[in-house]
Every structure is written in structure tokens, then in C-alpha cells.
Amino acid sequence: MKRYGNLYEQIYSMDNLRKAHQNARKGKGWYEEVKAVDADVEGYLKRLQEMLINHTYQTSPYEKFIKHDSGKDREIFKLPYFPDRICQWAILQVIEPYLMRHMTKNTYSAIPKRGIHAALHDVQDAMWKDVPNCQYCLKLDVRHYYPSINHDILKAKFRRVFKDGELLWLLDEIIDSICTANIEDIRDLWFFDEDVDEETGIPIGNYLSQYCGNFYLSDFDHWIKEEKRVKHYFRYMDDIVIFGSSKEELHALKREIDVYFMQELRLTVKGNWQVFPSYVRGVDFVGYRTFLNYTLLRKSSCTNFKKKMVAIRKKTAGGQMMNYSEWCSVNSYKGWLKHCDSYRLRKKYIAPIQDDADRYYRDVVKTKKYKRKAA
């Protein structure tokens, strides 16, 4: 594998730092900490540049909070806008192209121009065009993925791609800035205490963590495609779907995956993994359920969609105007529905409030846009 160097100077160049600030502030211009940087952009960025040149940069303390998401409580870790979020943007603007070269085309999370709907369309393409080889599906994900990522393994993976010592110093500093693993939880996976590595776990919430999480499994992607010769394999972060022509081949592959995860990555497969008939149950992946020649919205997403649309319809029927959050929700669900078979859902739940959504856009959103342009 080719290794890349001479990248650190690009990271701390003022042009790259200015671009990092512009990217990091998108959608956050009203934050007080962002306003403070906006008031003296060159001064703040010069300070960050000096930290990077002199190797005095240290990751700030994290703010931790719990987010309830899809029935789960997740620990989210937040860093200050300056210097940390700007710094992480500056790093990724330089190293992202090199990381992308190591990713296979079958992984979709945190990769520009891929994402959820690219993953969905590739799954549809496999299931609808190669029925004999997609009769059964192995669906699995990693147990406590982000808290289980081992620091030493992750840093070793970066060293296989980069040979720039200063860049590796900066990546190490951020990776080692916090350990998010529950040590008692990790100890349950190993036979002996000496096997437990406390330097484990990266924070959900870091911009860099999205890429670290994707990159950590990239060697596994290559192993699946190049050594195991799996034809239909799809991964969205740690959510994995594999198709096969028989249950037996998928169960055998699952046993090999268990060994690879434990020996190479110090990971384990979550206990709810399944092998099932693809076309009978449908494949639940990236928010949709795909069957032969048609796709439905995931059941939980469909239930939430109905509740929100009914609540908005009751509100607007009473003469009130929907608010900005509700207008965004309507448009977000319209975007989700256009990628699946949803004619009846759109007719029953979207159509009755479409006029109210159009009115809100015309009277509020569009007017604000014009005012900002005039200002």
C-alpha cells in the first residue's frame, strides 16, 4: 500500500483553515462561539495555526450529554467550536481524498456522494437483478461499535496510509483525547483481565469520529470482497448486509467474520444477527424494507411519519400555521418517500397539508431569504 507524506503543512495553511471555518460554521452561524470567531476570523485562525505549527494544540475537554435516538440512549460528546471543530475540519479537508482511496465502493456512511440512498439503490439493484444469489440475507452489526474501537489498532491503520510524522502526532492526540468504552462491558468479552485494553472507544459527536469509524472497518471490506469473494456486500458504518444463495454459506461466513472481528479488530457481532429469506421478510437496511421489485419505508419510520403528519394536520385544520420545524419535517419525509413505493402514504398524509406547507414557504421561508439577500 502506498503511504502519503508532506500533508501537515497543508493542514495548517491559512487558506485551509479559512475553508475549515466556513465549513464548520454552516448551520451554526447563530451560535455565540461561532459569532465570536466571525468577529475576528484572522486572529482566531492565526492562533490555531500557531498551535499546530508549535505542536501545542491539545483537544479541549468534552461536554457529554445523552441523546434518545430510535429507542436508544446514546452518549454524545461535544467539543468547542474553537479550536477543535475547526481543527478537525482542517484535517479532514486534506486527508479525506487519501482515506477515500482505501474505501471500497460497497461502504456508504460518511462518504461524499454516497450515503443512504446510494446504499438503498445498490441493494435494490442486487435483489432485483440477481435473484438466485440473493435468496438469503445475513444481517449484522457490531456490538457497541464506537465505544469498542481500539486506539492502537486505529492508529496502526492510519500509519499504513500516512507517513507524515506531524500528521500522525495530531491524529494520535485527538484519538487518545478520550476513551469512551465501559471497561466492565469490555471485560465481559475477554477471558483475562490482561487482555482488556482501556485505550478503547472514540466519541460519537466528533466530526473525525465518523471517518475513523468508517476507516476502522475498511480492511474488513477488502477481506470480504477480495479474499472471501462475496458478491453482494453492503455496509453503512457498522450496519452490514450480505446476500447469498443458501443459509449454509452465510452461516459459515458468519463464523469466519466472528474470528476476523475478534482477532483483527477486537470487536464482536451484536447478538441480534440473523440469516433469513430475503424476499419473504424483506431486507431492512438504511431506513427501508426492500422486497422483490418494491420497497417500503421502515415500520418504525412509517409510524413516526404518520404521527407527525396527523399532528400537523390537526394544527393547521384549527387555523394555526405550521412552524419551521414542522415545515422541515414535511419536506424531509417527502424526500424519504420518493425513494420507495409510497403513493398511498403521500396521498393520505402529505397531500392534506401540502397547501399549508406551500403557504408557509411562500409567506415565511421565502420572505426571510429575500430579506437576508437584501441585507
Side-chain angles (χ1 to χ4, degrees):
M1 180 186 297
K2 182 177 179 180
R3 298 170 67 223
Y4 302 94
N6 302 317
L7 300 174
Y8 193 69
E9 290 184 7
Q10 297 177 40
I11 291 172
Y12 66 68
S13 72
M14 285 301 291
D15 286 342
N16 189 54
L17 294 179
R18 291 186 192 101
K19 183 180 177 182
H21 166 56
Q22 291 303 316
N23 284 324
R25 74 182 297 282
K26 286 179 181 176
K28 302 178 179 67
W30 54 277
Y31 286 21
E32 290 301 322
E33 54 183 342
V34 176
K35 290 180 181 178
V37 177
D38 283 341
D40 183 18
V41 173
E42 294 300 307
Y44 275 96
L45 297 185
K46 188 65 178 176
R47 282 170 53 194
L48 175 55
Q49 184 184 55
E50 291 172 356
M51 293 180 200
L52 295 174
I53 292 173
N54 298 325
H55 291 198
T56 58
Y57 171 80
Q58 284 188 319
T59 304
S60 304
Y62 288 84
E63 176 188 344
K64 185 174 78 172
F65 60 93
I66 304 297
K67 182 179 180 181
H68 188 71
D69 181 28
S70 302
K72 301 177 183 177
D73 288 334
R74 298 182 184 275
E75 280 190 332
I76 307 297
F77 298 83
K78 182 181 177 182
L79 285 171
Y81 180 76
F82 178 87
D84 304 279
R85 278 182 270 173
I86 298 176
C87 180
Q88 292 192 19
W89 266 97
I91 295 168
L92 285 164
Q93 285 170 177
V94 173
I95 72 171
E96 182 186 69
Y98 305 100
L99 296 180
M100 294 305 99
R101 294 174 192 177
H102 196 254
M103 305 289 184
T104 68
K105 68 175 184 179
N106 312 101
T107 184
Y108 304 89
S109 177
I111 295 181
K113 299 181 181 180
R114 295 193 197 175
I116 287 173
H117 295 118
L120 171 67
H121 296 155
D122 285 352
V123 167
Q124 290 172 335
D125 195 56
M127 291 181 69
W128 297 350
K129 294 182 180 180
D130 191 7
V131 175
N133 289 314
C134 294
Q135 286 295 306
Y136 293 93
C137 175
L138 167 60
K139 190 171 187 300
L140 59 89
D141 58 352
V142 179
R143 182 178 184 269
H144 297 173
Y145 181 49
Y146 273 66
S148 299
I149 291 177
N150 182 272
H151 290 193
D152 288 339
I153 295 175
L154 177 59
K155 290 188 288 187
K157 287 180 179 294
F158 276 120
R159 279 160 173 76
R160 290 183 58 198
V161 179
F162 303 112
K163 59 183 178 181
D164 186 322
E166 290 184 296
L167 168 60
L168 293 170
W169 161 79
L170 182 56
L171 290 171
D172 289 355
E173 205 289 326
I174 296 172
I175 291 168
D176 289 335
S177 63
I178 190 171
C179 299
T180 62
N182 182 324
I183 298 303
E184 293 303 320
D185 186 51
I186 293 178
R187 188 171 282 114
D188 291 341
L189 304 178
W190 301 96
F191 294 109
F192 306 105
D193 281 347
E194 55 264 29
D195 292 328
V196 176
D197 188 346
E198 295 187 3
E199 295 296 314
T200 301
I202 61 174
I204 298 174
N206 262 8
Y207 183 49
L208 185 62
S209 293
Q210 300 175 49
Y211 285 80
C212 289
N214 210 353
F215 180 60
Y216 196 76
L217 284 173
S218 61
D219 286 330
F220 171 72
D221 299 334
H222 286 278
W223 177 76
I224 281 283
K225 296 298 292 183
E226 295 160 16
E227 291 192 33
K228 305 315 298 177
R229 301 289 182 181
V230 174
K231 184 176 182 180
H232 299 303
Y233 163 81
F234 309 93
R235 178 172 70 82
Y236 192 89
M237 196 54 74
D238 66 313
D239 196 3
I240 295 169
V241 163
I242 301 172
F243 292 110
S245 58
S246 70
K247 288 183 179 180
E248 291 75 19
E249 68 173 279
L250 293 179
H251 278 287
L253 179 61
K254 162 61 171 56
R255 290 191 288 271
E256 292 189 74
I257 290 172
D258 285 336
V259 174
Y260 184 98
F261 272 10
M262 187 63 73
Q263 292 182 350
E264 302 294 330
L265 301 171
R266 297 177 74 87
L267 299 175
T268 56
V269 174
K270 191 183 292 186
N272 62 354
W273 67 274
Q274 298 177 53
V275 174
F276 56 89
S278 307
Y279 300 105
V280 175
R281 186 186 301 183
V283 176
D284 189 331
F285 186 55
V286 294
Y288 297 91
R289 289 186 299 146
T290 301
F291 298 82
L292 182 61
N293 297 326
Y294 70 96
T295 299
L296 303 177
L297 195 65
R298 177 179 284 163
K299 285 184 179 179
S300 58
S301 300
C302 192
T303 300
N304 292 335
F305 159 71
K306 291 176 181 178
K307 287 180 180 178
K308 288 183 180 180
M309 297 305 106
V310 168
I312 294 173
R313 185 169 62 191
K314 287 180 179 179
K315 178 179 178 179
T316 55
Q320 297 183 62
M321 180 181 285
M322 66 176 66
N323 58 37
Y324 181 72
S325 177
E326 291 165 339
W327 178 78
C328 288
S329 185
V330 171
N331 285 284
S332 175
Y333 276 113
K334 285 172 65 178
W336 277 88
L337 292 175
K338 72 180 182 180
H339 292 274
C340 62
D341 296 85
S342 58
Y343 173 78
R344 291 180 181 176
L345 284 175
R346 285 183 279 115
K347 186 175 181 180
K348 184 174 181 179
Y349 294 97
I350 295 289
I353 58 176
Q354 186 60 60
D355 288 343
D356 297 296
D358 292 341
R359 188 178 305 113
Y360 182 85
Y361 175 77
R362 183 179 64 250
D363 296 346
V364 179
V365 179
K366 197 174 182 180
T367 302
K368 286 184 177 179
K369 285 182 179 178
Y370 284 139
K371 285 181 178 178
R372 283 199 297 269
K373 285 182 180 179

